[in-house]
Amino acid sequence: MAPSDSLEHEIPLFYISPVFAKCLVGLLAFVCFANSFNGSFVFDDSEAIINNKDVRGETPIADIWLHDFWGTKLSSNASHKSYRPLTVLTFRINYYIAGGLHPTGFHVVNIVLHCLVSVLMLDVFSVLFDEANCSNKGKNKAYNSKASLLAALLFAVHPVHTECVSGIVGRADLLCALCVVLSFLGYCKALQGNDDFYHSVFWVLFSIFLAVVAMLCKEQGVTILGLNAVFDVFVICKLNILECFQKVQHRDKTSEHSIINKKGLLTRVSLLVSGGISMLYIRWHIMGTGPPAFTDVDNPASFAESLLVRAINYNYYYSLNGWLLLCPWWLCFDWSMGCIPLIKSLTDWRVIALAGLWFLLFGLLYQALCSNDAQKRSNLFFRVGFAIAERVLYLPSIGYCVLFTYGYSKICSLIKNKKILTGTILGILVISVVRSIHRSSQWKSEELLFRSAIAVCPLNAKVHYNVGKNLADRGYQVDAIQYYREAVRLNPKYVHAMNNLGNILKEKDEFQEAEQLLLLAVSIQPDFAAAWMNLGIVQNSLKHFQEAERSYLTAIKYRKKYPDCYYNLGRLYADLNRHVDALNAWRNATFLKKDHSLAWNNMIILMDNTGNLAQAEAIGREALKVLPNDHSITFSLANVLGKAQKYKVILNLIVKFYEANPSTASYHNNLAVLYHRWGNFDLAKKHYEISLRLDPAAQGTKENYNLLKRKLEQLQRKDLG
């Protein structure tokens, strides 16, 4: 390869030492995303971490290798087929070290990973810009190349990386990128001027091992094997496609044999191919052949009936990915559900982007494959991401940085005023840093993240849905209704928005509209178990008991292990005085979810109300073994024991609970209620007053306390009379 002296000469930057260059790149990478260290779990973090039993250590560690990224069995039809066990393992280690779901540690690891990858990019760009094979004489020995420094700085501060770094789920891309970079650098070790066969084979095998690790972090890690082979053939061995094609036409086989036998190429490529086939086979064997199920809202282009429409839109997505790399101001956490309207006709002005994309790509491919200038070939290889998701652009941004640096050097060679060019590149870097800091701050909370997307994708139903869900979770139900309605308007088949909107309307006693929405949701998606359960709750409130029972049973049909549905079914049976059925339903709920407090408590109350005190006591004691600190169960059991006149047992139970919860207002309130029922009014008065001191706004406690005071006044008047 020819040295990149032309790039070095044209770029108007200072030479700095390799150590200082790495410190500078690492520092800027840290500054850009450091403010996300105290962020929350946001967006996909909920399913991948908070609700993932593999992360919380509730499953054997061996199950990580049998489950997908979200904790679902790979054999399940519901599996996303995203197989990333090593990434999940790092989440589990984070959880173990932090002692629970504390996001700070998760964020710190992501930031550190990005800094490591950014620093390593100096070595990668040095190889791509041909510094690695430069002579060790002169300044190349003491100074880092200006081209690799500029490209590494661009990579470190690029705002499109925010989702990977600030979103914890992006760790899959960070780990994959780290292993890909190390695999590439390891493969370069095998290409260095060493004729030792075993030395070369060792580094190729080590590169394949790192590719395996990369693939176990995220699927596209396997592609590094192809990239290594391409780099070897076209850059190291300087294969010229145009020249080979011409020689084949003239039946000249000398070039073909010389390339194949050159520098052990055949051995290296054979190892890469064998490794790649083995990796893909093992992955196929683990995952099975069934693809994940997607809907038209995930990727509308995939469901377009016309092949031409699909092709046009796929290519438009590619051009948008390129634009996000070039101008990362237009960023959004989700690009589905109408965010990018389909191009349905060649008259759509957006086809201009397709023409520009392919004009550029064909030009780059010609330079890369057919140019007689080896330097141009080596500088113009890069990967392109093919999905509209910012985190998948983490690795492809390497190619963007190479192209930007190469193009910048060419502009520098044409313009004599270097101060303007220096100011321009420094301005781009400063703007990127500011944009990254601002964008990472938006990823600190779901409220900021979701609201930031409305300006970018106002037609995206999922954006409005997530804003509504965030508002509802924080108690702003009325405001949430507006966003849920907009989500349903933008996507009339958005069953999750219908379900959540129906739930809010149910809480507002607007049962008729809630029932209509939930009926529509289950008609669109008949296996939507949560909607069936919520429909049953609404129908129960409307006194449509038969329909409610049918809805609950349908929910259980589609989700066998559904403890909340069994609990609500039990409530229905209790309202209908079907006590045995109610008890069985609540038993099922506690069998599926041992800590289902409401189901345990309702069983105690049911047995108490039907006069089965012994059975109520047995259930209460069984419940306390599972939930020893549950005050509702404790006082339901205490009430049962009071009716059985087991006051010493009650005293021991209450004292034990009091020691664990001395400052809990609900404890004192419930204790006061018990004393009130048993006629021990002085102690009841004492604990009502303690409860009100701890929680002055407790309306139920105030009402009970007023009832007690009236009772005491009546007793005083009676004594005086």
Side-chain angles (χ1 to χ4, degrees):
M1 289 188 293
S4 55
D5 288 341
S6 59
L7 285 177
E8 293 299 287
H9 177 71
E10 300 297 346
I11 295 177
L13 292 177
F14 294 108
Y15 284 106
I16 59 176
S17 69
V19 172
F20 187 73
K22 290 180 179 180
C23 291
L24 177 61
V25 170
L27 177 63
L28 283 179
F30 176 79
V31 167
C32 286
F33 305 105
N35 67 337
S36 66
F37 88 97
N38 61 345
S40 305
F41 292 111
V42 297
F43 194 39
D44 286 341
D45 296 343
S46 297
E47 292 302 317
I49 299 172
I50 296 175
N51 299 327
N52 191 337
K53 292 182 179 180
D54 290 339
V55 173
R56 301 198 307 266
E58 297 176 14
T59 57
I61 197 166
D63 285 1
I64 291 176
W65 302 94
L66 303 174
H67 294 172
D68 66 14
F69 186 55
W70 314 95
T72 305
K73 289 183 179 179
L74 287 166
S75 57
S76 170
N77 292 331
S79 173
H80 197 270
K81 306 297 183 184
S82 47
Y83 187 61
R84 305 164 192 173
L86 292 184
T87 303
V88 177
L89 183 60
T90 67
F91 290 152
R92 188 163 178 152
I93 293 171
N94 258 134
Y95 178 87
Y96 176 78
I97 293 174
L101 290 170
H102 306 294
T104 299
F106 290 82
H107 283 293
V108 168
V109 171
N110 276 28
I111 294 168
V112 170
L113 285 172
H114 176 62
C115 293
L116 284 174
V117 174
S118 299
V119 169
L120 286 171
M121 288 314 303
L122 273 167
D123 296 323
V124 172
F125 290 130
S126 293
V127 173
L128 295 178
F129 290 124
D130 212 8
E131 180 193 1
N133 282 340
C134 287
S135 170
N136 286 331
K137 299 178 183 179
K139 60 191 175 186
N140 282 327
K141 182 177 180 180
Y143 299 102
N144 201 86
S145 88
K146 292 188 287 185
S148 61
L149 175 60
L150 175 58
L153 289 172
L154 289 168
F155 180 89
V157 304
H158 205 298
V160 84
H161 297 159
T162 309
E163 182 174 352
C164 278
V165 185
S166 300
I168 298 171
V169 168
R171 185 179 301 178
D173 298 86
L174 295 171
L175 288 170
C176 177
L178 179 63
C179 295
V180 163
V181 167
L182 291 173
S183 176
F184 176 75
L185 293 175
Y187 192 79
C188 290
K189 291 280 188 180
L191 302 175
Q192 289 179 351
N194 192 327
D195 295 330
D196 186 345
F197 173 79
Y198 295 104
H199 171 273
S200 177
V201 169
F202 169 80
W203 282 108
V204 172
L205 292 176
F206 185 67
S207 173
I208 293 172
F209 168 75
L210 288 170
V212 172
V213 177
M215 187 184 72
L216 293 175
C217 293
K218 193 170 184 181
E219 296 78 6
Q220 68 254 40
V222 69
T223 59
I224 186 58
L225 297 179
L227 292 175
N228 285 341
V230 168
F231 182 77
D232 197 347
V233 171
F234 292 103
V235 179
I236 301 302
C237 296
K238 300 180 176 63
L239 177 65
N240 187 309
I241 293 292
L242 182 60
E243 180 183 330
C244 289
F245 180 73
Q246 291 172 344
K247 291 196 174 187
V248 168
Q249 281 186 317
H250 295 89
R251 298 181 181 179
D252 182 356
K253 298 184 179 180
T254 57
S255 177
E256 177 184 349
H257 289 299
S258 65
I259 289 295
I260 291 176
N261 296 321
K262 189 174 184 180
K263 299 180 181 179
L265 174 64
L266 185 60
T267 301
R268 295 193 298 271
V269 172
S270 297
L271 288 172
L272 291 174
V273 171
S274 301
I277 292 173
S278 301
M279 289 165 62
L280 292 174
Y281 173 76
I282 293 171
R283 181 179 172 82
W284 169 81
H285 181 73
I286 293 173
M287 294 180 55
T289 56
F294 294 107
T295 64
D296 57 346
V297 297
D298 297 313
N299 190 351
S302 298
F303 292 83
E305 295 182 1
S306 168
L307 179 62
L308 177 63
V309 171
R310 287 202 298 272
I312 289 173
N313 282 279
Y314 284 151
N315 284 274
Y316 181 61
Y317 294 164
Y318 305 156
S319 66
L320 282 180
N321 277 301
W323 179 250
L324 287 177
L325 289 170
L326 184 63
C327 183
W329 211 260
W330 194 41
L331 301 175
C332 183
F333 73 92
D334 184 86
W335 294 85
S336 62
M337 289 199 180
C339 195
I340 307 169
L342 280 178
I343 298 175
K344 298 180 180 179
S345 170
L346 291 174
T347 59
D348 193 312
W349 67 269
R350 289 176 291 171
V351 298
I352 298 173
L354 278 66
L357 171 72
W358 284 107
F359 179 80
L360 175 64
L361 288 180
F362 278 126
L364 294 174
L365 284 171
Y366 178 81
Q367 290 279 19
L369 300 177
C370 303
S371 174
N372 291 321
D373 186 342
Q375 178 64 30
K376 291 182 179 179
R377 291 208 304 272
S378 66
N379 283 347
L380 295 176
F381 270 113
F382 68 99
R383 288 183 63 213
V384 178
F386 296 115
I388 303 296
E390 291 154 30
R391 60 176 173 256
V392 304
L393 294 175
Y394 193 79
L395 276 172
S397 66
I398 297 172
Y400 159 79
C401 296
V402 171
L403 287 173
F404 186 99
T405 303
Y406 184 79
Y408 179 72
S409 70
K410 291 299 181 183
I411 294 174
C412 289
S413 66
L414 300 175
I415 298 177
K416 294 182 179 179
N417 192 336
K418 305 299 183 185
K419 291 183 179 180
I420 295 177
L421 294 173
T422 303
T424 300
I425 198 64
L426 290 177
I428 290 173
L429 290 172
V430 170
I431 291 172
S432 296
V433 170
V434 172
R435 175 58 174 148
S436 294
I437 292 173
H438 178 258
R439 182 60 179 161
S440 63
S441 69
Q442 293 177 331
W443 273 86
K444 292 177 70 171
S445 72
E446 289 192 331
E447 180 185 5
L448 294 172
L449 179 65
F450 296 154
R451 287 191 178 277
S452 71
I454 292 179
V456 178
C457 288
L459 299 179
N460 188 335
K462 187 182 285 189
V463 168
H464 292 275
Y465 167 83
N466 279 290
V467 173
K469 186 175 183 300
N470 179 258
L471 286 168
D473 290 343
R474 293 187 292 120
Y476 300 104
Q477 306 282 0
V478 176
D479 295 329
I481 290 174
Q482 168 192 347
Y483 288 96
Y484 281 139
R485 290 194 189 280
E486 180 65 9
V488 174
R489 186 189 72 80
L490 291 170
N491 182 4
K493 295 183 179 180
Y494 201 171
V495 293
H496 292 284
M498 295 175 190
N499 180 56
N500 287 14
L501 178 57
N503 272 341
I504 293 179
L505 294 174
K506 174 191 69 181
E507 297 300 323
K508 293 171 63 64
D509 294 337
E510 298 179 22
F511 298 119
Q512 298 293 342
E513 185 181 359
E515 184 181 31
Q516 291 174 3
L517 279 167
L518 293 166
L519 283 170
L520 179 58
V522 296
S523 68
I524 295 170
Q525 185 178 328
D527 63 348
F528 191 2
W532 279 112
M533 183 189 75
N534 290 323
L535 177 60
I537 295 172
V538 171
Q539 290 168 333
N540 192 7
S541 300
L542 290 169
K543 309 300 182 185
H544 301 163
F545 298 123
Q546 289 185 345
E547 291 88 343
E549 182 181 14
R550 195 158 45 242
S551 295
Y552 287 140
L553 294 175
T554 305
I556 294 169
K557 170 187 172 184
Y558 289 117
R559 189 189 296 179
K560 306 297 183 187
K561 299 179 179 180
Y562 204 171
D564 288 341
C565 192
Y566 277 111
Y567 165 73
N568 284 297
L569 180 62
R571 288 185 59 190
L572 169 66
Y573 289 147
D575 291 342
L576 297 174
N577 293 320
R578 293 167 58 178
H579 297 152
V580 175
D581 290 334
L583 186 64
N584 288 334
W586 288 328
R587 272 290 179 194
N588 283 329
T590 57
F591 175 77
L592 294 171
K593 185 180 179 183
K594 292 186 182 299
D595 60 348
H596 203 301
S597 173
L598 293 173
W600 283 114
N601 203 41
N602 279 16
M603 283 193 287
I604 298 169
I605 294 171
L606 176 63
M607 292 297 97
D608 182 6
N609 291 340
T610 54
N612 297 307
L613 297 182
Q615 193 171 356
E617 181 181 347
I619 292 172
R621 293 187 181 280
E622 183 183 356
L624 283 180
K625 291 179 182 178
V626 180
L627 297 163
N629 296 319
D630 190 295
H631 67 86
S632 297
I633 293 173
T634 300
F635 286 100
S636 293
L637 176 58
N639 191 52
V640 170
L641 293 170
K643 291 182 179 180
Q645 297 183 345
K646 297 181 178 181
Y647 299 114
K648 289 185 178 180
V649 178
I650 295 172
L651 184 60
N652 291 333
L653 182 69
I654 291 175
V655 168
K656 179 182 176 182
F657 195 81
Y658 174 75
E659 290 174 351
N661 305 273
S663 301
T664 303
S666 58
Y667 159 79
H668 291 282
N669 175 59
N670 288 330
L671 184 57
V673 169
L674 285 177
Y675 283 131
H676 196 160
R677 289 177 181 174
W678 300 337
N680 195 332
F681 299 135
D682 291 336
L683 285 174
K685 182 173 181 293
K686 171 187 172 182
H687 285 283
Y688 276 137
E689 290 172 351
I690 294 174
S691 178
L692 286 172
R693 281 201 301 271
L694 293 169
D695 185 9
Q699 189 62 35
T701 306
K702 289 180 181 178
E703 292 175 358
N704 289 335
Y705 184 50
N706 290 331
L707 287 173
L708 176 63
K709 287 197 295 184
R710 285 197 291 271
K711 180 69 175 178
L712 290 172
E713 290 172 359
Q714 290 174 2
L715 291 174
Q716 286 177 351
R717 285 195 297 269
K718 185 177 180 182
D719 291 341
L720 292 173

